[in-house]
Amino acid sequence: MKFIVSIKMVPDVYAPFQIKDGELLMDGDRMVLNAYDASAVEEALVLTEKYGGDVEVVCIGAAKASETIRKALAMGAAKGYHIQTNGDEAYDSSSYAQILADFLKDKEYDVLSFGKQSQDTDSGLTGGMVAQLLNLPYATNAVGLEIEDGNLIVKRQGDSGQEMIALPTPCLVTCSNDMNEPRIPNLKGIMASKRKPVESVAVSDMNLDGAALEAVSKVTSYSPVPARAAGQKFEGEPEEIATKVAQLLDTEANVL
Amino acid sequence: MSTLLTYVAISDGKIKRSSLEVLSHCKSIADAGGFSCEAVIIDENASSFTDDVQKYGASKIYTVSGDAFSQHQNGSLLKALTKVNESVSPALIAFASTESTKDVLGALAAQLKAGVVADVSSFNFDGSKVSAQRPMMAAKIMGNVDVTGNPILVSVRSGSYDLNENPSTAEVVSLDVSVDSDDLRATLREIISATGDTIDLNEADAIVAAGRGVKDEEAKNLISELASVLNAGIGASRALTESGVYDPSLQIGQTGKVVSPQLYIAVGISGAIQHVAGMANSKVIVAINKDADAPIFEVADYGIVGDLYKVLPPFIEEIKKIKN
Amino acid sequence: MEDKFDCIVIGGGVAGLAASMMLAKANMKFLLIERGEFAGAKNVSGGVLWGHDLNKLVPNYWEEEDGGWERFVNHRRLTFMDEQSTFSLDFKSSHFNEKPYTGVVVLRSKFDNWLAGKVQEAIDASDYAMDSFIATNIKVDEVLMENGKAVGIKTGEDEFHADSVIIAEGVNNLLTRQVGLQDKYVPADHMLTGIKEIIRFDQEVLEQKFQLNGLSGMSNEFVGWATDGVEGGGFLYTNRDTISLGLVIGIKDMREKKRSPHDLLNHFKSHPTIADIIKGGEVVEYSAHVVSSGDSRAMPKELYKDGILIAGEAANLLMNAGKAIQGMDYAMRSGILAAETIIEAKEKGDFSAATLKNYRSKLDDSYVMKDINNFQDAVHLLHTDTMQNKVPNLVCDFGRQFFTIKNEPTPKSEKMLLGAIKRHASLWELLKLGFKARKSL
Ligand SMILES: Cc1cc2nc3c(=O)[nH]c(=O)nc-3n(C[C@H](O)[C@H](O)[C@H](O)COP(=O)(O)OP(=O)(O)OC[C@H]3O[C@@H](n4cnc5c(N)ncnc54)[C@H](O)[C@@H]3O)c2cc1C
Ligand SMILES: Cc1cc2nc3c(=O)[nH]c(=O)nc-3n(C[C@H](O)[C@H](O)[C@H](O)COP(=O)(O)OP(=O)(O)OC[C@H]3O[C@@H](n4cnc5c(N)ncnc54)[C@H](O)[C@@H]3O)c2cc1C
Ligand SMILES: Nc1ncnc2c1ncn2[C@@H]1O[C@H](COP(=O)(O)O)[C@@H](O)[C@H]1O
């Protein structure tokens, strides 16, 4: 089967940041491959290693996003598509979905694979949007994938248990990072990635309707998360402190 | 008059409390802004829930019933919501953020060419735009977001609003939606029900959450015992759901569930930001960890530095005493 | 062999990056391997990068608006501390405003990452754009040896071959030991631990607090009460909108006195002078890292071998004689010299010890080994109880009397000094110390 995995470069949530006058300031160099997308790439690699097929990746982002594509190629993907932006557009999930749907509409694939959400925004919208725009059967929040008789079998984490869903191809799936531990590229992979093809196209050359790309949701400002009041920490004789805290939960916190 | 429509989710034959929280909030926005507060129930037995939904102030309740809605399938839900939108033309559709609504929100937004914002912790509607707050960067910061569109779709994290009874008599309107295989596109083969605990973590007043420190049966038993004396739900960190020690549906955090109980007891959990992202809004947090420098202590109201095997037995005993 | 490299550089710290930059510029085919997620991910320095070598690697680096560095140092301070007081030697000079700067404050996660980007640019511009690599998130497990000569490295199951290997792995030099250049066991009294916090202020507030102008900055070292009797010292450096505040502490002494780094840092921060400085700031990062003591007795037996060179702190190249920690500049210079040696070896087609020993003579001729050799006594002196406790107490005691004006007759300064000496040390001790210090500094 042929997989195209949609991957995003996101700011490293561990990088120090600062909010100043409502603006978010952080080191623009600290960018990583979205963890959920890494799982999607991993699963596509595992399945194609087992059943044959190809894995390609597509990423919308500024010049620096090429590093993220390289990372996926180093993991084992065969080819990358880089849809280039200037980096200063205020795109949201809906803008990315419009661009991706337009880019993917003439591509050949069996499965479009997405992350279930972006690690930085946790929106979780793009995958479903692209499925609808391309009129594809889809499933979200996959925690396991299999291939059976040309169908993609998705185990999805739902509200009341796990749902086993059979998707005819072509189809779209969004992946949870709970389905695997993405491989860390080894040196051979890193070296091979340099010679793998990456096709680039600028969003501005794609003949898209600018108005349709406009974000429907706009972050107007950032604010710090309200701090929790400092708590009490108890160290010492286990029996004593355990009893003490239990009592405080009753008398002070009033939650028993 | 603009209509605020709340989607009331049914899961396992019960109304999801979080959707009533959203309905309560929509009612207060509607009252303040002069909008109409309405609700929609989509389930095989949708009409059996209208009495309960009425209590939260919806003036009109739409029901969509049929076998197609006995189990969650994104194709049928999508079709039904599209139809409902057509009939009602709401200015805003509000959802509680659950795995089922997350499954359709993006597709629905694309289908309706709607404005959309997911997983907010608060929002308001002024007649033309939604202003919302949502946690970002693994819940380390809040983003203030403006959303426009017609309609605007909003999904809300559970526990963001209080339930607020506001009894009224609602007009019940049943809508017909037929679902065929073209709509479904995919086949739902089976549902593997979550094992073990039956307390819905989103609705639990107390949660005992286990992490990698819970290594063996003995520790698991202590967790179960503590949960049972507190009548608490059991949750887990990814370290334990991934390794199969606890059911995946019990995972709390960025990938798993977002919870906000009155009492959250984290046992043997280090407090990685992705875990904290799912529980930081709990009212009272207790952490039990043998590492005094574990980051979980930074969010805990009561931190117990110690070995869970030594701490839990007297802790459980004392709670039993207090409860009696 | 087609995919054989001229050189494999192990470690993307200052030493490894400096070596790589030289190799890239000299059109060599090489591989730089760093085990962190990115260059600098886990690296810790105070840190001021002293000297002009950065300008050699990245000419006119200061022109880049958002380059890898934070501020240039034009204000230096050495502070003696007792429980209540601080007495500082303070030097500020517009002379330091001239470029290239003589010292720039850096934050390693940013600086190393930036420098790695510059190395990548140099690779892209070289003939080996497709054949030279910077590989991160890869740990070298072993240096491959054949007949006593290094032939490559091993990571996981994979082997990669090269004519030479530069080991720039930093202070925890396991590979240096593996190739037999360092004894397996290095005594703990030659090792220090460094801890630091990054404390953030509003940039304007910070600039006012320290009277900074544009990108000028301050470096401040502390001796005495800072470490609460444990061997070591403190430092404070100004970054763009944060300060780096920390301690470098003797591991053995700390263990013997049953103290923890964290608890000593809190002690340092509780000093009234420090408390005033950090007021209003927010701690945004905490890190800890081992540092060498700069004691030459801890150096590897030799810094070269057939096919191998050791650079930076892996070779224990570091100087800490009280007035500054010099580890990064030594790392940079040794990395540059190691690369130069490899480039010459490539020209000659001989990577044996016979050629590579030139590295040692280059290093011996440079300020690095000259200073290490000349200031050994100062290094030892700094680690004595007299220097650590008595002198700071005495200086502060004298300062307190000298600067206190009471409504009573003031004794002559000399008398004050003698009084202070009596209270904290014997005259004889100080004479000895003064004599040693004159010789060693
Ligand atoms: C994109 C992304 C999403 C993620 N989503 C989630 C998520 O939804 N939920 C989640 O939980 N994680 C999530 N993670 C993983 C997260 O980063 C951590 O790896 C995980 O939370 C660690 O689980 P833990 O605290 O149980 O284990 P550890 O970090 O290993 O901590 C175990 C703790 O137990 C303590 N301990 C051990 N033995 C004892 C004892 N006998 N008594 C007392 N204490 C003891 C230890 O001191 C330690 O602090 C996510 C990660 C990523 C990258
Ligand atoms: C708290 C503190 C304050 C300091 N202050 C200053 C200061 O103000 N000024 C100053 O000049 N110096 C200072 N130093 C010293 C300075 O940090 C070091 O001397 C300097 O970092 C040495 O550079 P290096 O390149 O040799 O080693 P490092 O910077 O340690 O780099 C070694 C690199 O090798 C990598 N590595 C190790 N093993 C492997 C392996 N097997 N495979 C792949 N990669 C590997 C590591 O991840 C690391 O990136 C300070 C140190 C500390 C701890
Ligand atoms: N800029 C982008 N480039 C490629 N894929 C993207 C991009 N943005 C979002 N996606 C995909 O959509 C998923 C997340 O959607 P969302 O949470 O809505 O941002 C990611 O995991 C990717 O698979």
Side-chain angles (χ1 to χ4, degrees):
Chain A
M1 283 207 182
K2 176 158 175 197
F3 286 77
I4 300 182
V5 187
S6 191
I7 60 172
K8 187 182 184 187
M9 183 177 67
V10 296
D12 183 351
V13 293
Y14 292 102
F17 67 88
Q18 183 182 7
I19 296 167
K20 211 167 172 179
D21 304 327
E23 257 188 88
L24 177 62
L25 308 177
M26 64 190 298
D27 184 355
D29 277 343
R30 293 276 295 270
M31 304 294 280
V32 296
L33 167 60
N34 184 26
Y36 300 94
D37 302 351
S39 282
V41 172
E42 173 66 28
E43 203 65 13
L45 290 171
V46 168
L47 288 172
T48 50
E49 279 157 11
K50 195 159 152 196
Y51 299 105
D54 255 328
V55 180
E56 298 180 349
V57 295
V58 55
C59 178
I60 308 172
K64 193 173 168 60
S66 62
E67 292 170 20
T68 294
I69 297 175
R70 286 281 163 222
K71 167 100 191 267
L73 297 179
M75 285 174 75
K79 180 176 180 180
Y81 300 99
H82 186 176
I83 306 178
Q84 292 216 358
T85 63
N86 296 326
D88 52 5
E89 302 88 345
Y91 286 155
D92 68 351
S93 299
S94 149
S95 330
Y96 289 122
Q98 297 288 342
I99 299 169
L100 286 166
D102 187 78
F103 181 81
L104 293 166
K105 67 178 192 292
D106 315 311
K107 292 270 173 308
E108 292 213 358
Y109 53 82
D110 297 296
V111 180
L112 292 181
S113 191
F114 282 67
K116 83 157 178 163
Q117 64 205 42
S118 297
Q119 214 176 333
D120 55 337
T121 63
D122 286 341
S123 298
L125 295 168
T126 310
M129 287 173 164
V130 172
Q132 193 61 34
L133 292 170
L134 296 176
N135 197 21
L136 293 171
Y138 75 95
T140 61
N141 202 16
V143 292
L145 296 182
E146 249 311 323
I147 292 171
E148 208 183 281
D149 303 333
N151 286 326
L152 184 73
I153 311 299
V154 180
K155 190 204 270 180
R156 114 169 250 279
Q157 185 66 45
D159 283 316
S160 52
Q162 297 186 329
E163 300 155 11
M164 299 298 288
I165 300 163
L167 296 174
T169 58
C171 63
L172 184 148
V173 64
T174 80
C175 301
S176 167
N177 62 335
D178 284 341
M179 73 177 155
N180 55 37
E181 224 23 85
R183 66 193 69 180
I184 294 165
N186 62 18
L187 198 38
K188 288 217 165 91
I190 294 172
M191 285 161 61
S193 75
K194 223 172 189 173
R195 298 190 183 274
K196 289 180 177 171
V198 176
E199 270 179 32
S200 269
V201 52
V203 172
S204 50
D205 291 338
M206 281 176 69
N207 282 324
L208 286 159
D209 171 8
L213 294 191
E214 201 134 306
V216 295
S217 68
K218 294 194 174 81
V219 179
T220 52
S221 65
Y222 294 91
S223 28
V225 174
R228 289 186 77 93
Q232 312 169 44
K233 197 152 105 183
F234 299 84
E235 297 185 57
E237 200 45 51
E239 176 133 10
E240 212 169 281
I241 54 179
T243 314
K244 175 88 190 147
V245 170
Q247 286 162 355
L248 287 173
L249 289 179
D250 182 36
T251 56
E252 189 179 86
N254 228 342
V255 285
L256 298 183
Chain B
M1 185 168 53
S2 302
T3 298
L4 314 185
L5 182 69
T6 302
Y7 168 74
V8 175
I10 311 294
S11 173
D12 286 333
K14 280 195 311 226
I15 299 177
K16 277 267 186 193
R17 185 174 76 181
S18 47
S19 26
L20 297 177
E21 295 165 1
V22 178
L23 179 57
S24 301
H25 179 58
C26 281
K27 171 72 178 159
S28 69
I29 301 180
D31 286 351
F35 311 119
S36 167
C37 172
E38 305 178 1
V40 56
I41 309 169
I42 302 172
D43 184 71
E44 58 177 332
N45 304 313
S47 52
S48 67
F49 300 102
T50 52
D51 285 354
D52 283 332
V53 174
Q54 259 187 122
K55 291 189 203 143
Y56 296 89
S59 60
K60 219 181 213 180
I61 301 174
Y62 302 91
T63 58
V64 179
S65 311
D67 289 348
F69 309 107
S70 62
Q71 276 154 339
H72 169 75
Q73 282 184 281
N74 57 29
S76 47
L77 187 53
L78 205 52
K79 171 98 184 264
L81 285 167
T82 307
K83 284 278 176 189
V84 170
N85 179 67
E86 240 167 58
S87 322
V88 183
S89 303
L92 178 146
I93 311 180
F95 301 81
S97 194
T98 68
E99 286 312 333
S100 304
T101 57
K102 280 184 196 170
D103 194 25
V104 293
L105 201 62
L108 185 65
Q111 169 82 0
L112 304 181
K113 297 191 167 43
V116 60
V117 60
D119 254 340
V120 306
S121 56
S122 70
F123 78 96
N124 218 324
F125 176 67
D126 66 2
S128 64
K129 75 169 193 299
V130 163
S131 307
Q133 278 210 311
R134 57 191 311 277
M136 298 170 84
M137 298 299 289
K140 289 205 294 191
I141 57 174
M142 296 299 273
N144 304 302
V145 188
D146 278 357
V147 195
T148 50
N150 189 18
I152 302 172
L153 314 183
V154 183
S155 77
V156 185
R157 296 180 155 222
S158 73
S160 299
Y161 292 103
D162 291 333
L163 283 186
N164 207 347
E165 289 206 19
N166 212 324
S168 63
T169 330
E171 179 191 344
V172 176
V173 181
S174 144
L175 298 174
D176 267 345
V177 178
S178 66
V179 177
D180 57 33
S181 58
D182 271 1
D183 300 319
L184 282 181
R185 297 183 287 191
T187 320
L188 175 63
R189 289 197 174 164
E190 77 178 296
I191 296 183
I192 310 161
S193 288
T195 49
D197 215 297
T198 48
I199 298 178
D200 183 342
L201 292 177
N202 287 130
E203 310 196 350
D205 283 330
I207 292 175
V208 177
R212 206 190 305 273
V214 173
K215 289 196 182 74
D216 51 17
E217 277 309 304
E218 185 189 344
K220 266 187 94 173
N221 289 338
L222 288 169
I223 295 291
S224 304
E225 197 182 343
L226 177 58
S228 114
V229 296
L230 287 167
N231 193 25
I234 292 180
S237 76
R238 192 162 107 112
L240 291 194
T241 51
E242 209 181 16
S243 54
V245 179
Y246 284 98
D247 191 89
S249 63
L250 303 183
Q251 180 170 321
I252 290 167
Q254 189 179 14
T255 301
K257 287 198 162 72
V258 176
V259 299
S260 48
Q262 296 294 302
L263 174 62
Y264 189 93
I265 305 184
V267 185
I269 291 179
S270 62
I273 50 170
Q274 296 91 353
H275 183 81
V276 171
M279 48 67 82
N281 280 331
S282 307
K283 183 156 165 273
V284 173
I285 297 173
V286 177
I288 300 173
N289 196 306
K290 65 180 179 189
D291 171 8
D293 292 329
I296 190 74
F297 288 121
E298 285 161 29
V299 296
D301 302 287
Y302 300 95
I304 304 181
V305 182
D307 186 341
L308 67 94
Y309 295 90
K310 299 208 179 91
V311 170
L312 283 181
F315 189 62
I316 294 168
E317 272 325 298
E318 188 62 22
I319 291 174
K320 273 189 193 156
K321 251 193 242 162
I322 295 167
K323 289 262 180 186
N324 284 327
Chain C
M1 211 185 307
E2 201 228 321
D3 48 346
K4 185 168 152 195
F5 295 95
D6 296 325
C7 184
I8 293 176
V9 182
I10 305 170
V14 175
L17 289 166
S20 299
M21 182 62 101
M22 299 303 286
L23 294 174
K25 285 187 175 174
N27 241 335
M28 304 275 284
K29 180 176 163 186
F30 73 99
L31 175 58
L32 168 62
I33 306 179
E34 163 57 42
R35 74 174 164 196
E37 227 167 279
F38 55 91
K42 296 203 178 79
N43 294 344
V44 182
S45 295
V48 187
L49 169 59
W50 300 106
H52 292 169
D53 281 352
L54 179 57
N55 192 38
K56 229 187 266 176
L57 298 178
V58 185
N60 302 346
Y61 64 88
W62 54 84
E63 283 170 3
E64 205 169 319
E65 197 181 311
D66 212 6
W69 58 287
E70 298 289 311
R71 290 180 178 277
F72 69 89
V73 176
N74 75 345
H75 186 181
R76 301 197 54 185
R77 212 186 252 166
L78 175 62
T79 301
F80 297 91
M81 202 175 228
D82 73 4
E83 190 178 350
Q84 294 176 327
S85 326
T86 45
F87 192 121
S88 300
L89 294 173
D90 189 293
F91 184 74
K92 188 170 185 175
S93 170
S94 59
H95 171 75
F96 287 141
N97 297 357
E98 288 159 20
K99 292 156 189 151
Y101 301 123
T102 54
V104 288
V105 188
V106 300
L107 291 169
R108 292 292 299 279
S109 65
K110 188 169 156 197
F111 177 75
D112 292 14
N113 201 8
W114 169 82
L115 191 52
K118 295 284 155 195
V119 174
Q120 185 60 53
E121 284 174 20
I123 290 176
D124 292 341
S126 78
D127 293 349
Y128 294 102
M130 297 298 279
D131 307 279
S132 286
F133 300 91
I134 301 178
T136 58
N137 225 337
I138 304 276
K139 178 170 163 278
V140 174
D141 297 319
E142 193 186 327
V143 176
L144 294 174
M145 304 292 291
E146 251 169 42
N147 307 325
K149 179 183 183 316
V151 294
I153 59 102
K154 188 166 176 188
T155 154
E157 293 301 302
D158 298 337
E159 297 186 350
F160 296 88
H161 296 270
D163 286 324
S164 62
V165 173
I166 296 178
I167 301 181
E169 59 183 338
V171 60
N172 191 9
N173 57 359
L174 301 176
L175 298 173
T176 308
R177 294 174 208 198
Q178 181 236 315
V179 301
L181 285 175
Q182 171 123 45
D183 288 335
K184 297 264 184 263
Y185 173 74
V186 179
D189 50 350
H190 290 155
M191 285 299 146
L192 312 172
T193 185
I195 45 166
K196 80 164 184 179
E197 280 181 355
I198 297 180
I199 303 175
R200 179 156 58 216
F201 297 87
D202 183 83
Q203 187 160 333
E204 273 163 40
V205 171
L206 181 94
E207 286 169 358
Q208 270 166 19
K209 231 181 218 286
F210 294 97
Q211 297 161 328
L212 306 176
N213 204 338
L215 287 179
S216 77
M218 188 193 71
S219 76
N220 195 168
E221 280 78 22
F222 298 84
V223 279
W225 191 87
T227 52
D228 204 10
V230 180
E231 173 192 329
F235 60 81
L236 185 164
Y237 306 118
T238 55
N239 304 308
R240 296 257 165 125
D241 64 355
T242 58
I243 60 169
S244 294
L245 180 77
L247 298 171
V248 172
I249 318 156
I251 293 181
K252 188 163 162 236
D253 201 31
M254 178 177 68
R255 277 196 204 132
E256 279 167 4
K257 299 199 165 99
K258 297 205 166 24
R259 303 297 297 267
S260 78
H262 203 113
D263 131 62
L264 285 173
L265 187 57
N266 282 336
H267 169 86
F268 181 38
K269 285 166 70 182
S270 73
H271 191 279
T273 302
I274 303 296
D276 281 350
I277 291 176
I278 61 181
K279 195 161 163 248
E282 180 201 357
V283 178
V284 291
E285 231 180 280
Y286 172 84
S287 51
H289 202 280
V290 175
V291 206
S292 5
S293 61
D295 191 318
S296 63
R297 287 172 297 185
M299 273 179 74
K301 290 180 217 150
E302 203 27 284
L303 302 182
Y304 62 90
K305 190 168 182 163
D306 281 333
I308 299 181
L309 296 178
I310 317 280
E313 225 182 321
N316 194 34
L317 297 176
L318 189 126
M319 170 67 88
N320 180 6
K323 62 177 179 166
I325 309 172
Q326 290 176 257
M328 287 186 280
D329 58 323
Y330 283 17
M332 196 168 264
R333 176 60 68 88
S334 61
I336 291 172
L337 296 178
E340 279 175 14
T341 310
I342 296 296
I343 293 161
E344 288 162 16
K346 166 91 181 166
E347 276 163 15
K348 274 207 218 161
D350 173 18
F351 292 89
S352 73
T355 311
L356 298 191
K357 74 172 192 303
N358 290 340
Y359 170 57
R360 181 69 207 219
S361 37
K362 285 177 203 278
L363 209 54
D364 283 340
D365 288 345
S366 76
Y367 80 103
V368 174
M369 285 316 294
K370 289 211 162 107
D371 284 359
I372 287 187
N373 290 329
N374 288 340
F375 290 93
Q376 272 307 303
D377 291 343
V379 171
H380 299 157
L381 186 63
L382 183 71
H383 296 286
T384 57
D385 177 57
T386 317
M387 248 343 253
Q388 289 283 317
N389 297 308
K390 291 183 179 153
V391 171
N393 286 339
L394 185 160
V395 170
C396 289
D397 186 341
F398 170 74
R400 190 159 48 245
Q401 295 177 64
F402 186 84
F403 288 110
T404 307
I405 296 174
K406 293 190 229 162
N407 295 355
E408 35 184 81
T410 308
K412 281 279 177 55
S413 315
E414 194 186 327
K415 200 164 162 223
M416 288 183 186
L417 187 58
L418 283 172
I421 291 173
K422 247 196 216 144
R423 280 188 289 277
H424 299 284
S426 73
L427 200 54
W428 173 236
E429 227 179 332
L430 280 194
L431 276 175
K432 271 197 310 193
L433 180 75
F435 187 63
K436 270 200 210 156
R438 206 184 45 136
K439 261 195 4 193
S440 64
L441 285 173

